[in-house]
Amino acid sequence: MRTIRRPLSGTSLTAVRNLGILAHVDAGKTTITERILFATGAIHKRGEVHDGTTVTDFDAQERDRGITIFAAAVSCAWSGHRVNLIDTPGHVDFSDEVERSLRVLDGAVAVFDAVAGVEPQSESVWRQADRHGVPRIAFVNKLDRAGADLDTAVASIRERLGVVPLVVQLPVGREDGFTGVVDLLEMRALLWRAGGETYETGPVPEELREEAQRRRRLLEETVAELHADALEEFCAASALTGPTLARALRELTLRGDGVVVLCGSAYRNRGIEPLLDAVLAYLPSPADMPPVRGESGGAEQERAPDPAAPFAALAFKVTATPTGRLTYVRVYAGTLRKGESVLDAATGRTERVGRILRVQADRHEEREEAVAGDIVAVIGLKAARAGTTLCAPGAPLVLEPPSVAEPVVSVA
Ligand code: GDP
């Protein structure tokens, strides 16, 4: 169980989600990322993985190999929130990159294949996320495939990952006839139109009503078992309402006591909008995160996710692009301003921040500053590498290396 912190109130940090999509190769991470960008309006045309037009796969080598090798952070907006998607390589060979991206995430969606369930690679990525204490929700993808079965996939999540699944949806239709889901919190159906572009909400179909009620009771019982105290705290009345249950599910997610499970078919564009809603509802914002720890002049120091604190950030990815050398940074504390100098306290070297960009799918948005909780790309840094701490020159800090030293579990 993890300790959860109460967020700093009254800050826009609560409207940010730094999100990773964790999956083994082929589970559908690229398709989901692309569908998220489409659903949020960040891109206007849907690309397909097989024709190499998806936005996150912008590296030619990556396109050729059909696997996501290089991390990129892409920003989009959903329901008044900013969602920064941090790409995490799904291939174990690139585990250093996985580790680095896990460090800068606040929460993640773990993707599983509805036919295969938990596979060895999904298990090793899950364990890495465990070691970094990343709160997660699960998305069982490819429900449209022949042989797809949510219950079997959920059983494998329980058995292989040793976590308590909290299934919040019931699929409508099977395999090729999979058309939507019943939202067990709101007790309503979401049915997608043929192209998957839009969906309609309505009452639970008659033939699924009993099953939906049975599953809702199961969900309530599981939540009550895991979290009796919080339920008492939340529930003035005797019956659990959707919002009450949602609050309990959020606490369980942040504590790592259970995993909320959603389902869909990224390929058919079904299930993406409720997945985004779940990211906002259950996964933490930067304001929920504990202060980062580091070393300053031989002493341990903490910095809170507060825009007014002394600046501290981690460079986690450097790429060469036609725009220049892009250094992706996660700001943990304070504010990074264009034109100011930042210090690499480990080397004593100071560098100037040329431009600050928010990377949005196929374009960049110029920013004057980036505050605690933000993930941006900086142009103008020449020496910073992936793993470099950047801080305010007057307040040196070297962030602690990740608290994990174990090698990644190798898989057959
Ligand atoms: P990644 O390796 O995890 O990034 O997976 P991709 O997004 O590249 O998907 C791997 C393959 O599965 C591609 O051929 C996709 O078209 C396909 N795929 C992704 N999502 C679905 C889905 O929901 N249903 C089906 N049937 N295929 C899917």
Side-chain angles (χ1 to χ4, degrees), residues 23-32 48-50 57 66-68 141-145 264-269:
H24 67 87
V25 173
D26 246 28
K29 186 182 59 184
T30 312
T31 311
I32 292 170
E48 298 301 341
V49 172
H50 60 257
D57 270 356
I67 55 173
T68 311
N141 188 33
K142 305 198 186 186
L143 266 192
D144 61 302
R145 281 185 64 192
S265 161
Y267 186 74
R268 302 264 182 109
N269 218 12

Side-chain angles (χ1 to χ4, degrees), residues 11 54 63 100 111 136 152 199 316:
T11 142
T54 60
R63 266 194 304 249
R100 268 201 300 273
V111 181
R136 268 149 290 166
T152 314
Y199 66 89
F316 64 95

Side-chain angles (χ1 to χ4, degrees), residues 70-356:
F70 301 107
V74 186
S75 184
C76 57
W78 183 253
S79 282
H81 289 65
R82 174 142 305 282
V83 178
N84 295 317
L85 280 174
I86 298 109
D87 194 16
T88 52
H91 202 279
V92 277
D93 290 355
F94 306 101
S95 54
D96 273 0
E97 277 208 29
V98 181
E99 294 278 342
R100 268 201 300 273
S101 26
L102 288 175
R103 260 191 101 175
V104 300
L105 306 175
D106 298 325
V109 174
V111 181
F112 302 97
D113 181 315
V115 179
V118 177
E119 293 174 84
Q121 267 190 29
S122 19
E123 200 175 330
S124 64
V125 177
W126 183 271
R127 304 278 172 229
Q128 276 178 314
D130 268 345
R131 293 201 295 273
H132 284 272
V134 176
R136 268 149 290 166
I137 57 178
F139 184 72
V140 175
N141 188 33
K142 305 198 186 186
L143 266 192
D144 61 302
R145 281 185 64 192
D149 182 53
L150 178 62
D151 291 340
T152 314
V154 167
S156 84
I157 290 175
R158 182 196 305 278
E159 281 149 27
R160 297 204 52 177
L161 303 178
V163 293
V164 181
L166 300 159
V167 183
V168 296
Q169 292 174 336
L170 167 68
V172 177
R174 288 186 66 86
E175 302 180 346
D176 207 33
F178 168 66
T179 51
V181 295
V182 173
D183 173 345
L184 296 174
L185 271 70
E186 299 295 329
M187 277 302 195
R188 55 173 195 170
L190 281 66
L191 299 173
W192 277 268
R193 291 181 209 276
E197 244 102 280
T198 55
Y199 66 89
E200 278 175 1
T201 56
V204 179
E206 183 65 46
E207 67 278 12
L208 289 178
R209 230 163 261 173
E210 217 172 285
E211 181 63 8
Q213 267 153 12
R214 192 182 69 76
R215 288 183 186 236
R216 166 64 183 254
R217 276 195 302 275
L218 179 68
L219 177 63
E220 288 183 16
E221 281 161 21
T222 314
V223 169
E225 261 167 45
L226 290 172
H227 206 10
D229 311 347
L231 281 181
E232 253 167 51
E233 179 193 321
F234 295 152
C235 271
S238 55
L240 274 176
T241 62
T244 312
L245 195 49
R247 284 174 64 192
L249 290 171
R250 177 179 154 81
E251 294 254 342
L252 290 173
T253 305
L254 298 186
R255 291 178 186 214
D257 286 349
V259 62
V260 169
V261 181
L262 295 97
C263 61
S265 161
Y267 186 74
R268 302 264 182 109
N269 218 12
R270 287 175 188 157
I272 300 300
E273 298 89 345
L275 176 63
L276 281 163
D277 289 340
V279 165
L280 303 192
Y282 306 126
L283 292 178
S285 77
D288 297 307
M289 304 308 286
V292 282
R293 280 205 310 263
E295 188 253 295
S296 182
E300 193 175 291
Q301 205 184 76
E302 283 192 342
R303 275 185 205 175
D306 178 354
F311 170 71
L314 181 77
F316 64 95
K317 174 84 184 174
V318 179
T319 55
T321 72
T323 322
R325 188 176 191 266
L326 286 190
T327 308
Y328 286 89
V329 301
R330 158 76 195 245
V331 183
Y332 287 104
T335 302
L336 175 70
R337 291 188 186 84
K338 185 176 165 179
E340 286 189 356
S341 293
V342 290
L343 170 72
D344 172 353
T347 62
R349 207 173 159 144
T350 301
E351 295 209 80
R352 200 175 151 275
V353 174
R355 292 159 66 199
I356 300 174

